[in-house]
Structure formats: C-alpha cells, structure tokens
Amino acid sequence: MPEPNDLLRTAREHTPSRRAPGEHMSRGELADAICAWLWDTTEIKYELDGHYIAKLERGAVRWPGAAYRSGLRHVLNVAFDNELGFFPPSGLSATEPDLAPPSMIGHDDDLIDAGDESITLLSFAEQSNVGELTVEQLQADIERITQSYLRTPTRQLFATSRAIRDRAFGLLAGNQSPRQSRDLYSAAGWAITLLAWMSVDLGRPDIAESHTRTAWACAEAADHDVLRGWIRATQHTAAFWQDDFARAAEYAEDGLRYAAGTARLFLASAASVDLARAGRTNKARELLEMAQTLTVRQAGSEPGGIFVCTPERAGGLWTDTYLAFGEAHQTAEHADHSVALFEAAPYALRNVGSERMARLQQAKARLILGELDGALEAVEPVLDTQPEYRVRPLIQRLAEVAALTAPFGRSAKTRLLRDRVVEFTQRPDLTARSTTNGFTAADARRIYTARRMREDQT
C-alpha cells in the first residue's frame, strides 16, 4: 500500500472553501479551482477532477505533472512542492518551469478530438472488415511525414496523419484480399502511431495513449512486428514524459519481444534509461550493455525519420542513462560522439529532434563538470530553434539545463543562459538574443573559442 500524502490532505483541509463558508475546500472544489487557474494562465483546458486529487492524497501518485503541481501550489498557497509532500523521482530536476510549449497553443482541442476519434475506431480496428486499395500512396505519405517531422509545421503533418488514418479505415469498409487488408491496417497503424508521437511532443502524452491502443489493434490485424515494436517505443515515450519510468520500462522491455529492425536498438536503449531513472541500476546496465553491442539494420517496412533508430540517436539515449548513474564524464563522451555523428550525416537524413536533445545532454554534462562556456556553446544551436518546433520534451530538457546553472551563481554568462531559456519558452516571437549587461551569445562563443585556442597552445 502506498503511504498517504498527509501534507497535501492537511493543506487542502486548511484551505477555506470558496463555495461553502465555514467549510474547508473539498477535493472536487480544489480540482475545479486548479483547472480554472490553469485556463486563466495558459488558455489550455485540463481535465483534473476530485478522483485524481484523491489519488494524490492516497499517495498513489507521488509526482504529478508540472502544470498540476503549479496549480496545487497556487490554490493551496505554498511556495514549494515539498510542502505538499511531492518529491521528484531520482534523476529528475525539481526546478523545471511549468510552461506549455508554444507549438501547443491553440492545438489542444485538435489533440483531444483526434484522441477521442482514435478511441471510437478501436472496435472497428479489432474486427475483420476489409477494403479495396493498393496502399502505395498511403505508405509514401507516411514516409514523407516521418522524414520531414520537425522540419515542416507540425499542424500540417498532424492533419495529414489524421487524414491517412481516416482514409485507411474508410477503405477497410470495402472488399479486398487478406494481403491488402493487412497493408491497410498497417498504414492505419503507422498513421495513428504518428498521431501518438506528435501528441507527446505537443504536451499531451495522456492522449497519446488513446492513439496507441488503436494502433496496437491495427498491428495485431496486420501481424506486423516492426509496427508493434515502434508502438511500444511510442508507449514508452508517452509514459516517460509523464515521469512514470516503471511503466515506460515495461513497455520498452515488452517491445523487445517483437522488435525487428532498428526499433530493437531504440527499445533496449530506452529501457536502460527507464530502469536507471527508476533506480534499478543493475538491470539498467544490463540493457545498456545489450544496446551497445547490438548490430541492427533498418527494416524495409520502417518508414524512417522518427521511426528509425540510428547509432547517434541511440547514443543520445545512452547519455541519459549515464546521467542517471551520475557518470558525467561518460555522459559527456557519448553526447559529444552522438552530436558528431549527427553533424556528419546528410542533413536530409538527420533526426533534428533527437539531435537537439543530444546537444542539451552535452550542455548538462558540461555544467556538471563545471564547464559553463562549453555548455553555452552546446546549447546555442538549440536556442535558435524556430517556435513551431519547440516541442514540450525539448522545453523540459532545456529547463533542466537552466536548473544546473545554479552552482555558477549570477555571473553574466549564467544570467545570459537563464534569460535565453525564459525567452525561448515564454516569448517565442522575439529573436534569440540577450541584453543582459550587453553580453550576447556571440560574446559567449568568442570567449569559448579563445579559451580552447589557449588550451590547444599549451
């Protein structure tokens, strides 16, 4: 049985009700007040209710999402999460900003509607209905989306993925051969998995899980192991960004039963991160060693882009495992190698989302090792990311970088980095620059370059 969160319950019971004078705030009233405040501050609808507050007070959830923690602190009038009995899991920064990604604004209704639609299609996907079509165009469209993701505006790709899903299901209502039926289920499964992955990046991993259930039914109907592997990878990702590392590890390890192609490399690498974050160090090292010894080739049915795991992408995941182990030098080594591989690859084949995350791991390792200038140089290309591509995981990782600057005090360069993080997450309409004491990003680059030249000469 989980240990009850008495601090949260006590804080609620000491907060006067706004509806019933003389009474304390009920769980339902607290949830409503949080949702109202989040709407006023972010213009995003959140579906928090009294049942979830009860789970928090029972201790079933020990570290709720950043937005909910912000709302609880505001309504219950406390300054810190630990005053409400919330402590971050091992390896997670407690100081990430409670921000919604710019790319999420105005998009939440679409995400919710699409998730609901995928749920309604679940029973259809589990039936043996058939349809008529060669799916070459659908497959080509899926490949184009996966390979252009985070290079093309997300809203457009989201709409196209949704249209592919709906077209595939519409065609399945007709008559065709069993082979064509499997191809259509495969196309629908890939399209829905794309919707799930985009939902995670747009800040709604909970909705992603609605998509993946129907995607899994499609993979079962198509008997498609490569698709099964990438669905499990997507489910891992959705659970990971909800800080549920144990469940993320379960998805990743289960996916290894099916995974063919490069999904196997992704899942083994991801499982090592999950297990390290969950405190299962021995098992994490076992999966990390397995990932580092794998030799894999891209399967013919892997669409590419976000659904292919290259060595540089896997290396970026390994850095997170080493960071959870507290091994900063290993983190830096693998992050540097990963970024070098990304830079050496043709731009058209680079997974720019994974590359940005690897650069932030570079920056985190540099800060832990006391190298502020190196961190500034590593983070600079990420800060140039256009607003459309500033997905929620990227913002969270950038916040973790900013939190690691605390040991450096309030120097001009430290303030530069922190100010630019705030500018990146809160004011995406401004060009990336800093006016703090006249110290700019270009100044930081010149300082770092000069220092490296002096070191080389000695």
Side-chain angles (χ1 to χ4, degrees):
M1 290 289 292
E3 182 179 350
N5 188 338
D6 293 330
L7 287 175
L8 176 60
R9 180 180 55 79
T10 300
R12 175 179 62 80
E13 293 179 348
H14 280 78
T15 301
S17 171
R18 302 172 185 176
R19 300 173 182 171
E23 299 290 334
H24 61 70
M25 187 171 278
S26 68
R27 296 187 181 101
E29 185 182 0
L30 174 58
D32 292 343
I34 292 170
C35 290
W37 180 78
L38 287 171
W39 172 255
D40 289 339
T41 55
T42 68
E43 295 187 358
I44 295 175
K45 289 183 178 180
Y46 286 83
E47 303 296 332
L48 181 63
D49 59 21
H51 296 295
Y52 188 77
I53 299 297
K55 288 176 65 176
L56 295 177
E57 292 186 355
R58 290 198 307 270
V61 177
R62 307 301 303 185
W63 185 248
Y68 289 166
R69 296 199 314 276
S70 293
L72 285 162
R73 291 196 306 269
H74 174 78
V75 176
L76 298 177
N77 194 30
V78 301
F80 302 104
D81 291 326
N82 58 16
E83 294 178 74
L84 297 176
F86 299 137
F87 299 90
S90 176
L92 180 68
S93 167
T95 56
E96 78 274 23
D98 300 333
L99 304 168
S103 53
M104 183 64 196
I105 301 302
H107 202 62
D108 203 49
D109 288 343
D110 283 346
L111 291 171
I112 294 171
D113 289 344
D116 290 343
E117 290 163 4
S118 284
I119 292 173
T120 63
L121 293 171
L122 177 57
S123 60
F124 194 159
E126 292 176 326
Q127 298 172 9
S128 299
N129 294 345
V130 291
E132 180 194 311
L133 184 71
T134 59
V135 292
E136 291 180 4
Q137 186 59 52
L138 293 177
Q139 292 170 339
D141 288 342
I142 289 167
E143 290 177 6
R144 178 177 57 81
I145 293 169
T146 61
Q147 294 169 19
S148 59
Y149 186 51
L150 295 184
R151 305 172 191 269
T152 300
T154 305
R155 184 178 294 272
Q156 174 185 335
L157 297 181
F158 188 88
T160 303
S161 300
R162 200 172 181 176
I164 293 171
R165 177 200 66 183
D166 294 345
R167 180 160 175 74
F169 274 102
L171 291 166
L172 280 164
N175 296 313
Q176 83 280 21
S177 70
R179 179 187 60 79
Q180 291 171 322
S181 178
R182 287 193 297 271
D183 287 344
L184 286 172
Y185 275 118
S186 172
W190 284 116
I192 296 171
T193 307
L194 275 167
L195 291 174
W197 197 280
M198 292 180 194
S199 296
V200 174
D201 278 351
L202 292 169
R204 293 303 302 266
D206 53 329
I207 291 176
E209 296 188 17
S210 300
H211 289 300
T212 57
R213 294 186 190 100
T214 304
W216 187 263
C218 290
E220 292 284 282
D223 193 21
H224 199 316
D225 272 350
V226 174
L227 177 55
R228 287 188 183 104
W230 280 108
I231 292 170
R232 285 292 189 246
T234 306
Q235 290 171 316
H236 140 81
T237 304
F240 180 89
W241 291 109
Q242 294 178 84
D243 300 334
D244 193 342
F245 305 122
R247 188 158 57 96
E250 289 175 2
Y251 281 131
E253 290 186 276
D254 185 70
L256 289 169
R257 296 194 300 147
Y258 309 97
T262 65
R264 187 167 186 80
L265 176 58
F266 181 94
L267 288 163
S269 303
S272 74
V273 178
D274 302 329
L275 293 164
R277 292 239 180 171
R280 296 172 59 189
T281 303
N282 291 338
K283 184 66 173 178
R285 290 192 184 278
E286 179 184 324
L287 267 293
L288 179 60
E289 182 179 349
M290 171 186 169
Q292 292 176 335
T293 57
L294 280 176
T295 301
V296 297
R297 292 184 179 179
Q298 183 175 348
S301 57
E302 285 183 304
I306 59 173
F307 295 137
V308 68
C309 187
T310 59
E312 53 268 32
R313 187 181 187 186
L317 292 170
W318 301 342
T319 64
D320 212 356
T321 305
Y322 284 118
L323 203 61
F325 290 159
E327 299 175 7
H329 286 285
Q330 287 280 59
T331 302
E333 178 183 335
H334 284 278
D336 291 348
H337 184 62
S338 177
V339 169
L341 290 176
F342 276 119
E343 291 178 338
Y347 183 76
L349 300 179
R350 282 156 69 171
N351 183 326
V352 293
S354 295
E355 181 178 351
R356 290 168 187 147
M357 298 294 265
R359 290 184 185 278
L360 294 182
Q361 295 293 76
Q362 257 189 323
K364 290 166 74 174
R366 293 288 182 273
L367 289 170
I368 292 171
L369 294 171
E371 302 173 10
L372 178 59
D373 290 337
L376 284 168
E377 177 163 295
V379 82
E380 180 65 28
V382 179
L383 291 171
D384 290 335
T385 303
Q386 295 179 3
E388 171 63 25
Y389 309 126
R390 297 177 186 181
V391 294
R392 177 68 195 208
L394 183 69
I395 287 176
Q396 183 165 328
R397 279 286 182 266
L398 188 57
E400 292 169 4
V401 171
L404 287 172
T405 63
F408 296 90
R410 296 184 55 81
S411 68
K413 286 180 286 187
T414 304
R415 291 198 302 271
L416 163 70
L417 180 55
R418 292 172 182 165
D419 289 347
R420 293 200 66 197
V421 169
V422 172
E423 185 175 280
F424 183 93
T425 56
Q426 293 185 320
R427 296 183 292 170
D429 55 315
L430 301 179
T431 54
R433 58 186 177 84
S434 173
T435 58
T436 305
N437 293 337
F439 193 89
T440 67
D443 295 328
R445 286 196 295 270
R446 284 195 292 272
I447 289 172
Y448 180 72
T449 301
R451 185 175 68 82
R452 291 296 296 271
M453 290 177 65
R454 289 196 300 272
E455 291 175 352
D456 291 342
Q457 290 171 355
T458 59

